[in-house]
Amino acid sequence: MNTVLALENVVKEYPLTPPVRALAGVDLTIEAGELLAVVGPSGSGKSTMLHIMGTLDRPTKGDVSVAGYRVSELSDAELSGLRSRHIGFVFQAFYLLTGYSALDNVADGLLYTGVPLDERRARASAALETVGLSHRLDHVATQLSGGERQRVAIARAIVGKPSIVLADEPTGNLDSTTSSGIVELFHELNRAGSTIVVVTHDPEISASLPRIIHLRDGLIESDRVRELSS
Ligand SMILES: Nc1ncnc2c1ncn2[C@@H]1O[C@H](COP(=O)(O)OP(=O)(O)OP(=O)(O)O)[C@@H](O)[C@H]1O
Ligand SMILES: [Mg+2]
């Protein structure tokens, strides 16, 4: 077994008065090549957990390992290096650069990889094609529909062929046909070797994935692995 993500007794408190305990002691191990869903009510800690897995945030307590590195032992600069080499993140709010075209938003996902600009754009164009947006390369973010922006965000996350893809409600703004296309894309990336974690409210999507983690009140309520007939 090759563990790529491990959370040990992870607590996350946001420092308000009184503090908000978003994660209350999460233990979770994910092996290379897994494809899993994280589900749970709004406010149960799904985005917080994904951000911590993606090293975008540090836990208040507990240990996190990503791709074999203990996050607590790395500086912020080392963490951003780790992220650019290993992790593709699809944010719940897409965070596209508003004045930039779809193509440049995706090419931006390769900015810290040392790949030259022409090559970044070529790969961005290919990634946009895989999400069905080759006809929108030059539209800036404000000239795209909500679902198209979401697909640009997905293309940006996968353009570097990351070993770990963390997606927060990646189909929240998509119709069912486009949404099935994105789920199929995740299956393809997974077959090609990526480990994928998808936060979703859509029961059809979670039911189509081999492992489902239920969060409630910042804790794992259940963790089920199933045999899927395919
Ligand atoms: N930056 C923050 N500061 C303070 N509290 C926060 C912050 N971010 C999230 N929270 C709180 O932490 C809890 C968990 O939030 P989180 O965003 O992880 O939930 P979620 O499961 O992703 O919900 P949703 O399904 O609505 O996206 C919530 O009670 C939320 O209000
Ligand atoms: Mg969320």
Side-chain angles (χ1 to χ4, degrees):
M1 298 280 245
N2 175 12
T3 301
V4 290
L5 281 167
L7 307 188
E8 273 175 68
N9 195 24
V10 164
V11 172
K12 177 66 187 180
E13 279 182 359
Y14 291 107
L16 303 185
T17 6
V20 176
R21 182 166 270 227
L23 296 177
V26 168
D27 286 302
L28 175 61
T29 304
I30 299 175
E31 305 298 333
E34 283 202 79
L35 169 55
L36 57 99
V38 175
V39 303
S42 178
S44 57
K46 304 181 298 295
S47 294
T48 301
M49 185 171 87
L50 211 66
H51 287 194
I52 286 178
M53 285 176 171
T55 77
L56 296 160
D57 207 352
R58 292 176 185 269
T60 310
K61 229 179 75 184
D63 284 316
V64 178
S65 300
V66 177
Y69 296 91
R70 280 167 82 90
V71 165
S72 59
E73 291 168 3
L74 302 184
S75 67
D76 288 348
E78 288 168 328
L79 283 186
S80 57
L82 175 69
R83 276 198 298 279
S84 66
R85 273 178 284 119
H86 292 283
I87 300 174
F89 206 101
V90 183
F91 291 94
Q92 190 166 15
F94 326 129
Y95 296 127
L96 299 186
L97 304 167
T98 47
Y100 289 79
S101 67
L103 188 70
D104 284 335
N105 263 285
V106 176
D108 182 67
L110 294 169
L111 199 56
Y112 302 106
T113 54
V115 175
L117 180 62
D118 281 359
E119 177 66 23
R120 291 207 297 273
R121 289 213 166 121
R123 290 197 204 169
S125 172
L128 282 162
E129 192 177 342
T130 59
V131 297
L133 280 183
S134 31
H135 61 309
R136 290 288 181 264
L137 301 186
D138 298 325
H139 281 229
V140 297
T142 49
Q143 297 166 337
L144 295 166
S145 73
E148 287 170 347
R149 282 179 220 180
Q150 187 148 41
R151 284 183 280 156
V152 173
I154 293 167
R156 182 179 55 190
I158 63 171
V159 67
K161 303 202 188 315
S163 54
I164 304 168
V165 176
L166 304 171
D168 200 350
E169 288 285 350
T171 61
N173 291 279
L174 303 179
D175 59 77
S176 62
T177 309
T178 314
S179 167
S180 324
I182 295 300
V183 173
E184 186 43 43
L185 174 65
F186 286 147
H187 278 282
E188 272 168 36
L189 288 167
N190 179 246
R191 283 192 288 269
S194 296
T195 305
I196 303 186
V197 182
V198 185
V199 169
T200 182
H201 279 111
D202 184 337
E204 254 187 59
I205 294 180
S206 53
S208 74
L209 304 187
R211 182 176 176 192
I212 307 182
I213 294 187
H214 284 258
L215 279 188
R216 181 177 293 275
D217 298 331
L219 284 171
I220 293 182
E221 184 182 50
S222 71
D223 179 352
R224 281 200 288 269
V225 181
R226 295 155 322 129
E227 289 294 317
L228 289 177
S229 49
S230 62

